[in-house]
C-alpha cells in the first residue's frame, strides 16, 4: 500500500492553503474563489501565526486592514449579501476585545443566514503564559474565553486545540458556508500557540474543490397538499422571499415585469404577489402585478399567502390567513414552527410541473386579481405625497423624503444600504428599476438589514459590497 503524501505546515498555513483551494460556482456556471479575501486587525493572538500565513499568499488572497473589528465583520456580511451568498469574506482579530467586537456582526450574519468566516485569536492552549494580554480571566473555568460568546450566534463553532482537528473541522466549515438552508457565521477560535504548531497534513486536503449550491426538489406529496390549499383559496397571495433572490439569475429587462428575477416561471399570472425585505431589492417597481411591498405584519388578514423562498413566523400573520411555506430552502424547524404547510426546496427548481402548476378548472377570481394594481396605485400615490411633503421650517427632511431624494439621484448601477429604522422606508418607498448587472451581484439594488436590524450596518456594509461590485473575481 502506498503511503499518503503529506506536507508539513503550521495550523495557520494549512488553514490558509485550504481556503485557497475552495471554489464556488455562480448560477451562470462561472467558477470563482469561495473565499474572496480577508479583513484583519492583527495583534496579540493572531499576528505571528495567521498574519504570517496570510502575508505569504497576499497575491492570491488579499487582506484588507480595518479600524474596528465589528466594522470588518459587518463589511464581510455586506459582501456575502452583495454576492448572493456565493462568496465568503474572512475576518480575523486579536484575542480579547478584538474578538468580542465581532459578536454583534455574527448575530447579523446568523439572523440573515449570510455566510462569513470569523477567525478570532484565542488564549494559549498550553497555558504557559496565563493570563495573557487582553485575556478576560474566568477563575472558575480556565477553558472559557471571550470567544465562547460566539456560540449563540454561530452556525458552526469550534476551538482548534490541535492542528489535526482541521482535518475534520474544515469540511464542516465548507458545508455550512455553502448550505442554502444552514448558511451563516462560522467561528474558528484559534489559540495563538496552536496557530504555529506544525503537522503533516495530507496533500489531498488542499486539492481544488468546487462548491455548487444544491438544488433541492420538493416532496411530491407535500407539494400536492400545498397545491390543494391554494386551489381552495379565494384570495391567494404569493409572497416572494430572499430565497428567490439568492437562487434567481440576474433579471432581464427584455422579460415581462412579472417574470423579472424569476426567469420564465409564472404562478397563476393574475394572482397578486408581494415581497419580503430581501426579495424587494430586485422586484421592479414598474410591474403592475404586485400588491404594495409587504412583510408578514401587513399581509391582508383574509388572504392565503404562498411563501416562496422565505420563512414564516407565528407572530406575523393575520388570524384568517394560512401560509403555505412553499419552495424555500429552509430546514423543517424554520418552515413548520408557524403551523404552515411546508414544501421545502430551493426557490428555482421547486416550481411544479406545468400540469401541477395551475389546474385547468381553477383560476384566480377576477375581483381579487384586479385588486392588486388598484392597491399598488393607492400605495404609489401615498409615497408620492410623502416625497413631496416639502422641507420643514428648520430645513430638515423626513425619512421618506430622504429616500425619495436618494432614489431620484440613483442610477441602475447604484446600491443603497439601510439598517435600523430606514429599511422600512426603503422597503415601502424605494422604486427599483428593471436592472441587469450580471455577474455575481444578480441585479440587486439595495441591502436592507432588517433581519437583525443592526444599527451601524449601513456605515460599513457598503465597504464589503463595494469590493464585490467594483472588483469582481
Amino acid at each position: 500500500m502506498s503511503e499518503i503524501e503529506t506536507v508539513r505546515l503550521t495550523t495557520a498555513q494549512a488553514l490558509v492553503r485550504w481556503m485557497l483551494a475552495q471554489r464556488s460556482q455562480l448560477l451562470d456556471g462561472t467558477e470563482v474563489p469561495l473565499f474572496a479575501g480577508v479583513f484583519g486587525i492583527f495583534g496579540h493572538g493572531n499576528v505571528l501565526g495567521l498574519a504570517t500565513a496570510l502575508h505569504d499568499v497576499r497575491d492570491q488572497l488579499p487582506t484588507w486592514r480595518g479600524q474596528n473589528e465589528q466594522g470588518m465583520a459587518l463589511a464581510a456580511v455586506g459582501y456575502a449579501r452583495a454576492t448572493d451568498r456565493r462568496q465568503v469574506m474572512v475576518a480575523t482579530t486579536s484575542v480579547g476585545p478584538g474578538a468580542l467586537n465581532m459578536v454583534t456582526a455574527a448575530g447579523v450574519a446568523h439572523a440573515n443566514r449570510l455566510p462569513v468566516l470569523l477567525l478570532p485569536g484565542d488564549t494559549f492552549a498550553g497555558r504557559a503564559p496565563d493570563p495573557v494580554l487582553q485575556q478576560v480571566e474566568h477563575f472558575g473555568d480556565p477553558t472559557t474565553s471571550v470567544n465562547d460568546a460566539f456560540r449563540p450566534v454561530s452556525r458552526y463553532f469550534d476551538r482548534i486545540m490541535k492542528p489535526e482537528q482541521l482535518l475534520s473541522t474544515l469540511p464542516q466549515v465548507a458545508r455550512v458556508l455553502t448550505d442554502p438552508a444552514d448558511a451563516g457565521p462560522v467561528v474558528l477560535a484559534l489559540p495563538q500557540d496552536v496557530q504555529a504548531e506544525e503537522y503533516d497534513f495530507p496533500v489531498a486536503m488542499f486539492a481544488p474543490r468546487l462548491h455548487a449550491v444544491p438544488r433541492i426538489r420538493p416532496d411530491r406529496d407535500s407539494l400536492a397538499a400545498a397545491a390543494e390549499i391554494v386551489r381552495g383559496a379565494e384570495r391567494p397571495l404569493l409572497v416572494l422571499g430572499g430565497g428567490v433572490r439568492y437562487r434567481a439569475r440576474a433579471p432581464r429587462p427584455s422579460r415581462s415585469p412579472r417574470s423579472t428575477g424569476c426567469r420564465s416561471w409564472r404562478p397563476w399570472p393574475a394572482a397578486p404577489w408581494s415581497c419580503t425585505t430581501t426579495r424587494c431589492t430586485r422586484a421592479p417597481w414598474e410591474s403592475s402585478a404586485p400588491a404594495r411591498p409587504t412583510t408578514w405584519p401587513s399581509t391582508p388578514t383574509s388572504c392565503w399567502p404562498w411563501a416562496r423562498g422565505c420563512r414564516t413566523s407565528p407572530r406575523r400573520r393575520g388570524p384568517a390567513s394560512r401560509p403555505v411555506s412553499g419552495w424555500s430552502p429552509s430546514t423543517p424547524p424554520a418552515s413548520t414552527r408557524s403551523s404552515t404547510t411546508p414544501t421545502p426546496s430551493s426557490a428555482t427548481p421547486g416550481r411544479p410541473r406545468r400540469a401541477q402548476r395551475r389546474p385547468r378548472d381553477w383560476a384566480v377570481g377576477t375581483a381579487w386579481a384586479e385588486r392588486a394594481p388598484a392597491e399598488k396605485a393607492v400605495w404609489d400615490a401615498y409615497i408620492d405625497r410623502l416625497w413631496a411633503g416639502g422641507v420643514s421650517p428648520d430645513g430638515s427632511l423626513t425619512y421618506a423624503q430622504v429616500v425619495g431624494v436618494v432614489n431620484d439621484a440613483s442610477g441602475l448601477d447604484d446600491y443603497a444600504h439601510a439598517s435600523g429604522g430606514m429599511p422600512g422606508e426603503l422597503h415601502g418607498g424605494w422604486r427599483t428599476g428593471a436592472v441587469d448587472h450580471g455577474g455575481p451581484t444578480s441585479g440587486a439594488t439595495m441591502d436592507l438589514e432588517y433581519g437583525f436590524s443592526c444599527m451601524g450596518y449601513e456605515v460599513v456594509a457598503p465597504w464589503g459590497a463595494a469590493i464585490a461590485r467594483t472588483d469582481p473575481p
Side-chain angles (χ1 to χ4, degrees), residues 78 89 161 193 312 332 380 397 400 456:
M89 273 291 188
M161 303 298 287
D193 52 344
T312 58
D380 288 342
L397 298 174

Side-chain angles (χ1 to χ4, degrees), residues 279-472:
R279 173 62 182 95
C280 78
T281 61
R282 287 185 53 184
W285 169 70
E286 293 84 355
S287 172
S288 60
R292 64 188 177 90
T294 185
T295 52
W296 286 112
S298 55
T299 297
T301 58
S302 58
C303 73
W304 294 66
W306 180 294
R308 182 173 188 255
C310 62
R311 294 173 290 158
T312 58
S313 167
R315 302 184 303 276
R316 299 180 176 181
R317 282 209 318 274
S321 64
R322 184 179 178 186
V324 178
S325 180
W327 311 333
S328 169
S330 300
T331 51
S335 58
T336 60
R337 64 186 177 191
S338 55
S339 300
T340 63
T341 299
T343 56
S345 76
S346 57
T348 299
R351 56 180 183 263
R353 294 179 180 177
R354 183 176 298 275
Q356 297 172 307
R357 184 164 60 215
R358 181 166 60 90
R360 294 179 180 178
D361 60 347
W362 184 90
V364 176
T366 302
W368 180 242
E370 293 177 349
R371 181 176 171 180
E375 290 283 351
K376 181 178 183 295
V378 171
W379 182 258
D380 288 342
Y382 172 68
I383 295 299
D384 286 339
R385 290 195 300 272
L386 291 180
W387 285 11
V391 180
S392 299
D394 62 358
S396 62
L397 298 174
T398 65
Y399 277 7
Q401 290 172 317
V402 171
V403 170
V405 171
V406 175
N407 202 166
D408 289 341
S410 297
L412 294 180
D413 292 326
D414 292 323
Y415 190 59
H417 287 75
S419 64
M422 289 299 290
E425 299 289 344
L426 272 77
H427 187 206
W430 188 271
R431 292 170 176 175
T432 301
V435 55
D436 185 6
H437 291 294
T441 56
S442 298
T445 60
M446 54 183 169
D447 179 351
L448 307 185
E449 200 322 78
Y450 233 178
F452 205 50
S453 197
C454 178
M455 305 297 289
Y457 173 82
E458 76 284 2
V459 177
V460 285
W463 181 22
I467 295 174
R469 297 171 71 88
T470 61
D471 188 24

Side-chain angles (χ1 to χ4, degrees), residues 217-287:
R217 266 70 179 179
D219 175 75
R220 290 184 177 180
D221 292 338
S222 63
L223 183 61
E228 284 300 317
I229 293 175
V230 177
R231 189 179 291 114
E234 295 182 2
R235 288 181 282 187
L237 174 67
L238 181 70
V239 179
L240 304 180
V244 178
R245 166 179 172 173
Y246 296 139
R247 289 300 297 167
R249 289 173 172 83
R252 300 171 183 265
S254 60
R255 294 186 178 272
S256 67
R258 271 186 299 214
S259 65
T260 300
C262 302
R263 305 296 289 173
S264 59
W265 180 80
R266 297 187 182 186
W268 316 301
W273 59 269
S274 191
C275 303
T276 64
T277 358
T278 303
R279 173 62 182 95
C280 78
T281 61
R282 287 185 53 184
W285 169 70
E286 293 84 355
S287 172

Side-chain angles (χ1 to χ4, degrees), residues 20 33 35-36 56-62:
L20 289 173
F35 298 98
D56 292 341
V57 298
R58 59 190 180 278
D59 294 334
Q60 300 167 270
L61 187 65

